[in-house]
Amino acid sequence: MTDHDAACGELSDALAEFATGAAGGSDRARVLRHTAGCSECRETLAALSAAADEVLLIAPERQPPAGFETAVLDRIAALDAAPAPARPRRRLVRVLAAAAAALLVGAAAALGVWLATAPDRELADSYRDTLGVADGRYFTAAPVLDSGGAQVGHVFAYQGDPSWVFAVLDGAPEDGAWQVVVATEDWTGTIATCDATEGSCGAGATIDADVYQLREVELIAPNGTVLTATFDH
């Protein structure tokens, strides 16, 4: 180990104290003299200072409990009165540094979760905005299935002012005019005709019914073929 390495090692605790503002006058002077000619320790000091600043930003903004200042001053006075070998100052600095590191890791993890869930939050915001356009309270959808269980389209339902149901076929087994029949818990009615061409069409209408009670929507072909979308609220 060179003399320079030894000097850097002896200064490690002082660097942490300097970064957190806990260093005394003599230690501050030592740090400043050493870092003036040691780029490695300057980088370490910069990293420690940045960590200390981040900890302050993460800390919750609230007033300390009554008597907190007095308790701190009493503790400092007790440390100053203790014999020099018994003062735990450097050990305390190490504990605080470890706690700060743990706090920063936790904050980084929380930031990671925040960034990872950003698309979900954006989707939720978009959903709320969409509902708000027409005093909406509920929006749902269900797949349209043929008799064999194959998906051939979708039905969308919106509870708002007004409420509406819209059916889309993209794989109808035959072309023609499919009647769109809506069934709720206490009402059934044909609301539109979906004219399928090359297996595709879309049709819907406003309804005077409670979408929360929507049970199913049937699309019925002229020859009696039935496609069904079932809603499970």
Side-chain angles (χ1 to χ4, degrees):
M1 178 183 294
T2 65
D3 291 341
H4 178 76
D5 291 338
C8 292
E10 292 174 0
L11 207 65
S12 59
D13 285 341
L15 287 175
E17 293 179 352
F18 189 100
T20 58
S26 60
D27 283 342
R28 291 181 63 85
R30 282 199 308 134
V31 169
L32 292 173
R33 282 197 304 270
H34 180 80
T35 54
C38 179
S39 59
E40 197 171 310
C41 285
R42 280 201 304 273
E43 292 177 2
T44 300
L45 179 60
L48 289 171
S49 298
D53 290 343
E54 291 294 335
V55 170
L56 289 176
L57 290 175
I58 294 170
E61 296 181 1
R62 61 181 66 181
Q63 293 295 325
F68 175 79
E69 295 88 346
T70 302
V72 171
L73 291 175
D74 289 345
R75 179 59 177 161
I76 292 173
L79 289 175
D80 287 340
R87 293 183 183 178
R89 186 178 181 187
R90 297 201 182 283
R91 181 174 180 275
L92 178 61
V93 170
R94 293 193 185 95
V95 172
L96 289 175
L103 183 58
L104 288 175
V105 169
L111 177 60
V113 172
W114 176 262
L115 294 176
T117 57
D120 291 337
R121 292 196 310 278
E122 291 173 1
L123 179 61
D125 289 341
S126 177
Y127 181 82
R128 284 192 293 269
D129 291 343
T130 300
L131 290 179
V133 170
D135 192 27
R137 295 173 293 283
Y138 183 56
F139 182 69
T140 186
V144 176
L145 306 178
D146 64 17
S147 58
Q151 183 172 328
V152 294
H154 292 85
V155 172
F156 303 92
Y158 183 86
Q159 178 75 22
D161 185 16
S163 297
W164 50 261
V165 172
F166 195 89
V168 177
L169 293 179
D170 53 17
E174 60 185 83
D175 289 343
W178 293 77
Q179 300 300 306
V180 182
V181 181
V182 174
T184 69
E185 293 179 3
D186 53 14
W187 175 81
T188 299
T190 300
I191 64 167
T193 300
C194 193
D195 294 316
T197 302
E198 296 182 355
S200 299
C201 67
T206 60
I207 60 172
D208 186 16
D210 190 347
V211 171
Y212 289 108
Q213 297 179 358
L214 181 62
R215 290 189 291 108
E216 67 180 19
V217 173
E218 291 184 337
L219 287 95
I220 305 175
N223 66 357
T225 300
V226 177
L227 308 175
T228 306
T230 302
F231 288 82
D232 183 13
H233 301 283

